[in-house]
Structure formats: structure tokens, C-alpha cells
């Protein structure tokens, strides 16, 4: 199970990196978003994966999953959500001003 | 248990939230935000004395004992930085009163600064790796908004790059957290330190430590600083000053914390790596500082040089060199705020940041000129100014630990700092006065107070270094001996 997850995380990182390296602003933002999701999966895997047990400890329970990674992911998702929202707003604003979403043309020139 | 520890985090946060509700009352913002800046500093002073008397102070939030709960830990290093943060942020706020403008004040400038301070204070005080990530995000998100506040063309363009690079480094931070959790099964600094020491720092853990080094280097501007000159030169002066004084320093603090408390077992690999990065940072920073003829660019490249210099102390890893690093860190936070504020004032007066368009300001603004001159000498490390002691200790420590090349680079970098800043001084203040007082684009009215204040503090730090020596020595000894930290957090080492 862990091996499959590791491959999936690697695949998502590959896609994310490919998107981040492109020139279009929206693609970069999607790339960052995918990388963040990959990281969340990685955190989930870091606690060890078990099928069919809840992150709760009870006397009757036979086993339980580590609740900490899930708590970490919850926080990470919220932060990532906020930052992505901010990035989308900013990219829209800069599209309005610069009339382009091409990062190459946002290099800036020395005269400004 | 010491409940004071939560105050430097909770107080600015609470005031910031309050100010958002009373958005229209700018006078309330101006009244409460300095209070919210000073208060953590006073708490830090009390904490410093408590630490001196009875060792490292901790607070287990919610009564959950470490390593299960979240711990806040104030050792001397963190408390000193907390205090300096308070001074610097207060001065930048005072500067902002007269320079930031009505529009930005209306759009939550003061609450954002307070949230930034919340994040910075939290990062200094936390004793938990994931909590460190959260506080990093708190001040980063505030800085994202502050850097774009106003929405001019330059700001939008540079902020996009700044945000994207920081989102990526945050993702890597989480990757590091996940790996470290998978390997050690804990995220509490003290507990991590024990676990890594027990298991031995093998290749895997060293690799993870390099991942953290990459993350914090991106934040601190250690070698991976290519985002820094652009993004620090677009926001208004007060914001740029607070960024230059605080944000890179939090990254430096995190590097110190990680590599003195947790990953200190393989210094020939990790600390050597940091040393090479520090040397490259100083070389590239010096090239930038002497290459540009633009005031903002020269100042930002000077931020980069000092990052490399401070980390020499960590690389040498002796009591003397760490002592020097802490002295220099304190000095650098104050002096960077000072030169950025002076730089912003000069740009405000002349309306340009190009050196060739300015000259002869010394006749119309002698005080500004001489204070800039003092700041320059202090940055270079002329005794008895504040930069001297830090430079002396770092260099002595580096030579004592046989890092001759690194100490040499540090001294060489000082010469380049001298060249780049004296060039600024000569171009801006010497020569014919081309601008009469009527032609000036701005005024120095009101903005001189924080500059005088910071110059005074810098002078006091240089002349009165003896007075804080006791505290700095405790901080340096604490960094050298991780057991102090572990005992304080984990209740005499037992779990």
C-alpha cells in the first residue's frame, strides 16, 4: 500500500513540477496546488497506512490509525486553500493590469 | 509552566483582530498598534530575566505534556530575538505613521503588520516543528498581502514571484515534516533531538536535514536568494524595512534551531554544507552590492551578505562564534531596519532610487547624512559601534575552529559592504546640491524620530555591549548544549 502511495505522490509531484515550469500563470497555480495535494498524501503515508481502522483509541478496538498526520493534513489543507485563493485573486488582478498571463512578459524592465 | 509565553503571540493577534472590526477608526489603529508592538518586548524582558535566574521557560498548551501536546519554549536566544523584534517593529510602525498614506492605512495595514509580528513571535517561541510551519505561514500570508498592498504594477509583478517561490518552499517544508515524522515518529523539537541522538544521525536523517536546510535557506535568503532583491524593493519603505529586519532573520533562527538542537551529529557534512552556502552567499551578495547603482538594490544585497556572515558562526560552532552570531543578529536586525528607513527617506526626498540622479543632500539634510554614515560604519564593524563585537567574535571563532577560508570570506565581505555603502554615501550626500528644499518630492518631517531612535539603539548596543553580554552568553551556551532545552521541555528528560 505504501509503495503505491509513494508512486502516486511521485507522479503528482512530476505533474506539478511540469505545470509550475510552464509560462501560463494559471497553470503554475494549478501546479502549486497539485504539489500541495501530493504533500498531503505524503504526510498521510508518513504515519503508516492501515485498512479499516479509525483514528480513535477505544478498549474494544483491535487497532487504530495514527491521528496526528490527519490533523496535520487538515491544517495544511486550510492554509493551502487560503494561499491558493489569494494567488488566484492576484493573478486575475495582474491579468487586468498587464493584459497578459505569460510569466515571461512579467520579467520587468530596468526602466521602471 | 509559564503563562507569559503565550502573550507575545496572543496579544498582537487579538489587537489585530480588534482593529479589523474598527476599520474606519485610523486613530485607534495608530494608538493600539504601537502598544501591541511594545507589549511583547516587555514580556520578552521579563522572560529574559526569568531565564537568567531559573533556566529555560516552557508552556505546555492546554496542559498536554510534551511530546503529546504543543509546547511553547522560550530559551534565551528566542527571548532576545523577541525583544529586538519588538523594538524594530515599533520603529517601523512609527515610520509608517507619516509615510504609508491614508489609502493603505484604511486597507488593514496595521492589522496586517500585527499579524506578521504574531507569526514572527510564534516562530521564535514554538517548540514544535509543525507549529513552526503554521507560524511561518501566518507571517508569510501577512507578508503576501503587505507586499501587494497598494497594487502598483511593480508590486503585483514581484509579489507573484515571491508568493510562488514561498508556496513551493512551504510544500518542501511539509515534505520534510512528513519524512521526519515517518523516521522518528515525533515532531516536538526536544523529543526529536532525543530520538535523533538515540538512533544516530544516519544518511537518511542527514538527507532530511538538507531538505530543511533548503526550505529555511529559501526563507532566510541563504544562497537561494534570487527572489529577494526584487520583492524587497517594491513595497513602501516601512514595509520593506520590516521585511528586511525580520523575515530573513526568522529563517536564520530556524536554521540555528534545527542545526544546534536536532541535526548536530554530523557537522562535517551539514555544517560544512551551510559553510559553503554561506561563502557563496557572501560572494554573490557582494557582487550584487557593488554591481548595482540603485539605492534599493544595494541595500537588499547588503541584507544577503549579512545572512551569509551570521551563519559563519553556526558553521564554526564554538561558544565564541555563536556568541558573535547572536550579537551580530541583534545588530543586523536593528541596522537593517535603520538603513532601509534612511534609504526610503532619501528616495522619498529625491523621488528616485538611481544614485546618479542624487547628490549633495548633506547640505539640506545633515542629520540624515551623518546617521547614514554611522549606520555604514556600524555595518562594516568599526569599533565601538554595534557591528564590531559580532564581527570580532564570529571571525575569532571561525579562526579558532580552523575555518580560515570562511573567516577570510567574512572579512572580505566587510570590505565590499564598505565599498558599496560608501559609494551610496558619496553619491547621495556629497557633491553639488542639485535640489533645493522647495524642489524636494517629500519631507523628513515626522519620519526622523524612528531613524534617530534606531541610531541611538545601535550606538547604545555598541557602547553598552557589556550590559547585555551576560544574556548573550547564556543564549550561546544554550545553543551549544541541547540537553538544557530537552530537560526544560520534557520535564527533566523523562517522557
Amino acid at each position: 500500500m505504501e509503495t503505491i502511495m509513494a508512486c502516486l505522490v511521485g507522479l503528482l509531484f512530476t505533474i506539478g513540477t511540469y505545470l509550475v515550469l510552464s509560462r501560463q500563470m494559471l497553470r503554475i497555480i494549478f501546479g502549486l496546488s497539485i504539489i500541495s495535494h501530493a504533500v498531503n498524501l505524503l504526510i498521510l503515508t508518513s504515519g503508516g497506512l492501515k485498512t479499516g481502522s479509525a483514528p480513535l483509541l477505544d478498549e474494544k478496538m483491535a487497532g487504530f490509525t495514527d491521528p496526528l498526520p490527519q490533523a496535520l493534513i487538515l491544517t495544511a489543507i486550510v492554509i493551502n486553500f487560503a494561499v491558493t485563493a489569494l494567488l488566484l485573486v492576484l493573478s486575475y488582478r495582474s491579468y487586468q493590469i498587464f493584459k497578459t498571463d505569460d510569466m515571461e512578459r512579467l520579467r520587468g524592465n530596468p526602466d521602471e | 509552566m509559564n503563562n507569559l509565553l503565550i502573550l507575545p503571540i496572543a496579544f498582537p493577534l487579538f489587537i489585530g483582530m480588534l482593529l479589523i472590526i474598527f476599520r474606519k477608526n485610523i486613530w485607534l489603529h495608530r494608538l493600539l498598534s504601537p502598544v501591541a508592538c511594545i507589549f511583547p518586548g516587555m514580556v520578552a524582558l521579563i522572560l529574559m530575566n526569568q531565564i537568567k535566574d531559573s533556566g529555560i521557560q516552557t508552556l505546555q498548551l492546554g496542559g498536554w505534556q510534551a511530546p503529546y501536546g504543543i509546547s511553547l519554549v522560550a530559551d534565551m536566544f528566542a527571548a532576545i530575538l523577541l525583544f529586538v523584534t519588538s523594538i524594530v517593529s515599533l520603529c517601523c510602525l512609527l515610520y509608517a505613521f507619516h509615510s504609508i498614506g491614508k489609502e493603505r492605512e484604511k486597507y488593514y495595514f496595521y492589522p496586517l503588520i500585527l499579524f506578521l509580528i504574531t507569526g514572527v513571535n510564534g516562530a521564535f517561541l514554538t517548540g514544535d516543528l509543525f507549529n513552526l510551519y503554521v507560524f511561518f505561514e501566518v507571517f508569510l500570508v501577512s507578508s503576501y498581502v503587505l507586499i501587494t498592498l497598494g497594487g502598483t504594477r511593480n508590486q503585483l509583478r514581484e509579489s507573484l514571484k515571491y508568493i510562488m517561490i514561498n508556496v513551493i518552499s512551504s510544500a518542501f517544508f511539509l515534505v520534510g515534516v512528513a519524512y521526519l515524522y515517518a523516521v522518528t515518529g515525533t515532531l516536538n523539537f526536544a523529543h526529536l533531538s532525543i530520538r535523533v541522538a538515540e538512533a544516530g544521525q544516519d544518511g537518511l536523517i542527514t538527507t532530511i536535514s538538507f531538505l530543511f536546510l533548503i526550505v529555511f535557506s529559501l526563507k532566510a535568503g541563504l544562497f537561494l536568494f534570487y527572489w529577494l532583491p526584487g520583492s524587497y524593493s517594491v513595497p513602501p519603505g516601512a514595509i520593506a524595512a520590516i521585511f528586511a529586519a525580520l523575515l530573513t532573520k526568522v529563517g536564520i533562527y530556524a536554521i540555528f534551531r534545527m542545526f544546534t538542537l536536532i541535526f548536530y551529529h554530523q557537522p562535517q557534512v551539514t555544517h560544512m554544507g551551510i559553510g559553503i552556502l554561506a561563502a557563496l552567499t557572501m560572494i554573490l551578495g557582494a557582487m550584487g552590492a557593488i554591481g548595482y547603482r540603485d539605492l534599493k538594490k544595494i541595500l537588499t544585497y547588503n541584507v544577503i551578505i549579512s545572512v551569509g556572515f551570521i551563519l559563519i558562526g553556526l558553521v564554526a560552532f564554538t561558544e565564541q562564534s555563536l556568541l558573535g552570531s547572536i550579537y551580530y543578529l541583534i545588530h543586523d536586525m536593528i541596522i537593517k531596519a535603520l538603513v532601509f528607513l534612511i534609504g526610503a527617506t532619501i528616495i522619498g526626498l529625491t523621488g528616485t532610487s538611481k544614485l546618479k540622479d542624487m547628490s549633495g543632500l548633506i547640505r539640506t539634510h545633515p542629520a540624515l547624512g551623518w546617521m547614514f554614515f554611522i549606520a555604514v560604519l556600524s555595518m562594516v564593524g568599526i569599533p565601538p559601534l554595534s557591528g564590531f563585537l559580532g564581527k570580532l567574535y564570529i571571525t575569532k571563532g571561525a579562526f579558532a575552529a580552523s575555518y580560515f577560508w570562511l573567516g577570510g570570506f567574512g572579512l572580505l565581505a566587510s570590505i565590499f559592504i564598505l565599498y558599496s555603502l560608501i559609494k551610496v554615501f558619496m553619491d547621495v550626500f556629497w557633491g553639488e546640491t542639485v535640489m533645493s528644499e522647495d524642489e524636494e518630492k517629500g519631507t523628513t518631517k515626522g519620519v526622523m524620530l524612528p531613524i534617530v531612535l534606531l541610531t541611538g539603539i545601535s550606538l547604545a548596543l555598541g557602547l553598552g555591549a557589556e550590559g547585555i553580554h551576560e544574556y548573550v552568553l547564556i543564549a550561546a551556551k544554550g545553543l551549544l548544549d541541547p540537553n538544557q532545552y530537552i530537560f526544560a521541555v520534557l520535564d527533566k528528560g523523562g517522557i
Side-chain angles (χ1 to χ4, degrees):
Chain A
M1 191 66 183
E2 270 86 355
T3 322
I4 301 171
M5 282 294 261
C7 293
L8 179 63
V9 170
L11 186 69
L12 284 177
F13 254 99
T14 318
I15 298 169
T17 312
Y18 174 74
L19 284 175
V20 166
L21 291 177
S22 63
R23 285 163 54 169
Q24 236 181 332
M25 217 176 318
L26 207 55
R27 279 173 176 239
I28 297 178
I29 296 171
F30 281 135
L32 293 175
S33 205
I34 288 176
I35 287 182
S36 310
H37 291 317
V39 171
N40 290 341
L41 283 178
L42 185 70
I43 298 177
L44 191 68
T45 319
S46 76
L49 297 170
K50 269 183 206 157
T51 322
S53 28
L56 297 165
L57 190 57
D58 192 25
E59 280 172 6
K60 288 178 219 136
M61 291 279 184
F64 67 100
T65 0
D66 189 352
L68 193 68
Q70 307 188 4
L72 302 186
I73 292 170
L74 190 64
T75 318
I77 287 176
V78 173
I79 292 173
N80 179 39
F81 174 72
V83 172
T84 309
L86 180 74
L87 257 177
L88 284 171
V89 171
L90 260 182
S91 68
Y92 181 62
R93 180 77 188 272
S94 75
Y95 174 72
Q96 277 183 323
I97 287 186
F98 294 105
K99 299 283 175 233
T100 176
D101 66 341
D102 187 345
M103 288 303 273
E104 283 287 317
R105 284 202 245 158
L106 289 181
R107 269 177 189 279
N109 58 60
D111 301 329
E112 270 185 280
Chain B
M1 293 289 259
N2 186 342
N3 282 324
L4 274 180
L5 262 71
I6 193 71
L7 286 176
I9 303 167
F11 194 73
L13 180 70
F14 176 72
I15 297 280
M17 291 196 293
L18 198 73
L19 291 184
I20 284 189
I21 300 172
F22 299 104
R23 180 190 156 195
K24 294 269 161 61
N25 291 338
I26 298 297
W27 60 269
L28 190 72
H29 285 218
R30 290 186 171 200
L31 191 73
L32 282 183
S33 49
V35 176
C37 282
I38 299 169
F39 186 72
M42 300 219 207
V43 174
L45 265 186
I46 300 172
L47 280 174
M48 276 160 73
N49 284 308
Q50 283 179 347
I51 296 164
K52 192 181 78 175
D53 296 334
S54 53
I56 295 172
Q57 302 292 315
T58 59
L59 174 65
Q60 315 290 353
L61 289 179
W64 289 84
Q65 281 306 310
Y68 304 110
I70 292 173
S71 341
L72 295 182
V73 188
D75 65 342
M76 191 55 102
F77 186 41
I80 290 176
L81 291 181
L82 209 59
F83 180 61
V84 182
T85 302
S86 156
I87 295 175
V88 167
S89 54
L90 176 70
C91 290
C92 292
L93 262 187
L94 289 178
Y95 187 86
F97 284 171
H98 292 274
S99 67
I100 202 76
K102 274 270 173 296
E103 278 304 303
R104 288 195 172 91
E105 280 185 328
K106 253 198 315 206
Y107 284 94
Y108 311 111
F109 170 74
Y110 296 113
L112 284 167
I113 290 276
L114 293 184
F115 293 149
L116 184 100
I117 294 168
T118 308
V120 171
N121 286 350
F124 288 147
L125 283 177
T126 184
D128 183 277
L129 189 57
F130 192 76
N131 216 220
L132 184 70
Y133 164 77
V134 173
F135 281 120
F136 262 81
E137 288 303 312
V138 170
F139 76 72
L140 279 176
V141 172
S142 321
S143 77
Y144 297 159
V145 185
L146 277 171
I147 205 172
T148 47
L149 199 63
T152 62
R153 290 173 73 93
N154 279 338
Q155 276 181 313
L156 280 175
R157 192 175 54 223
E158 293 303 328
S159 65
L160 274 169
K161 299 168 196 169
Y162 175 74
I163 297 176
M164 282 166 185
I165 201 120
N166 273 305
V167 170
I168 291 192
S169 84
S170 296
F172 275 107
F173 197 155
L174 282 178
V175 171
V177 168
Y179 281 153
L180 206 55
Y181 186 70
V183 174
T184 61
T186 180
L187 290 175
N188 185 295
F189 281 152
H191 202 198
L192 272 173
S193 179
I194 295 179
R195 288 265 168 100
V196 170
E198 278 171 355
Q201 190 179 334
D202 56 4
L204 188 60
I205 294 182
T206 307
T207 314
I208 297 172
S209 79
F210 270 101
L211 194 59
F212 279 108
L213 182 61
I214 292 172
V215 172
F216 296 133
S217 298
L218 265 170
K219 316 270 186 202
L222 174 70
F223 188 62
L224 304 168
F225 58 77
Y226 307 100
W227 54 271
L228 196 146
S231 45
Y232 279 22
S233 52
V234 288
I239 298 177
I242 211 164
F243 278 16
L246 297 184
L247 295 197
T248 52
K249 307 303 179 289
V250 187
I252 295 175
Y253 167 81
I255 293 178
F256 267 85
R257 184 59 79 216
M258 295 301 273
F259 287 90
T260 58
L261 184 63
I262 302 169
F263 305 119
Y264 59 91
H265 302 281
Q266 300 277 353
Q268 70 276 25
V269 184
T270 51
H271 289 54
M272 190 55 144
I274 298 174
I276 293 168
L277 290 182
L280 287 172
T281 312
M282 285 188 287
I283 295 169
L284 295 172
M287 281 160 76
I290 58 173
Y292 278 99
R293 301 196 63 79
D294 178 293
L295 182 56
K296 283 179 173 173
K297 284 272 164 31
I298 293 174
L299 292 182
T300 45
Y301 274 103
N302 270 295
V303 173
I304 294 165
I305 300 177
S306 67
V307 171
F309 191 75
I310 291 168
L311 282 161
I312 295 178
L314 176 66
V315 177
F317 208 47
T318 61
E319 188 179 303
Q320 224 169 25
S321 69
L322 287 173
L323 202 64
S325 281
I326 298 167
Y327 265 123
Y328 202 78
L329 196 55
I330 301 170
H331 147 81
D332 199 56
M333 286 169 87
I334 292 168
I335 215 78
K336 285 287 140 54
L338 175 60
V339 288
F340 267 75
L341 291 184
I342 294 178
T345 312
I346 294 170
I347 292 167
L349 286 172
T350 56
T352 171
S353 68
K354 300 228 177 343
L355 290 182
K356 64 173 165 40
D357 298 338
M358 327 176 184
S359 97
L361 277 184
I362 196 89
R363 280 194 193 78
T364 41
H365 301 281
L368 196 66
W370 290 118
M371 280 191 284
F372 183 73
F373 190 63
I374 292 173
V376 171
L377 293 186
S378 184
M379 277 167 85
V380 178
I382 309 283
L385 298 166
S386 57
F388 167 68
L389 211 56
K391 276 212 164 143
L392 180 74
Y393 276 128
I394 289 181
T395 314
K396 262 172 85 177
F399 284 164
S402 304
Y403 278 104
F404 295 107
W405 54 281
L406 209 49
F409 273 125
L411 293 178
L412 208 62
S414 299
I415 296 173
F416 285 111
I417 295 176
L418 180 69
Y419 174 76
S420 69
L421 289 173
I422 286 293
K423 183 176 73 184
V424 172
F425 183 70
M426 285 168 65
D427 280 0
V428 175
F429 291 101
W430 286 9
E432 238 172 282
T433 309
V434 288
M435 213 176 228
S436 71
E437 294 207 33
D438 316 325
E439 290 169 338
E440 282 167 359
K441 308 273 193 305
T443 101
T444 57
K445 213 172 107 244
V447 299
M448 287 306 272
L449 175 69
I451 295 177
V452 173
L453 215 59
L454 280 170
T455 312
I457 294 166
S458 162
L459 282 174
L461 187 65
L463 296 171
E466 197 70 38
I468 61 162
H469 188 76
E470 200 183 349
Y471 297 98
V472 179
L473 195 65
I474 295 174
K477 283 191 171 142
L479 287 180
L480 267 182
D481 179 18
N483 285 328
Q484 282 184 18
Y485 193 98
I486 296 167
F487 274 114
V489 177
L490 293 177
D491 201 18
K492 313 299 171 220
I495 301 163

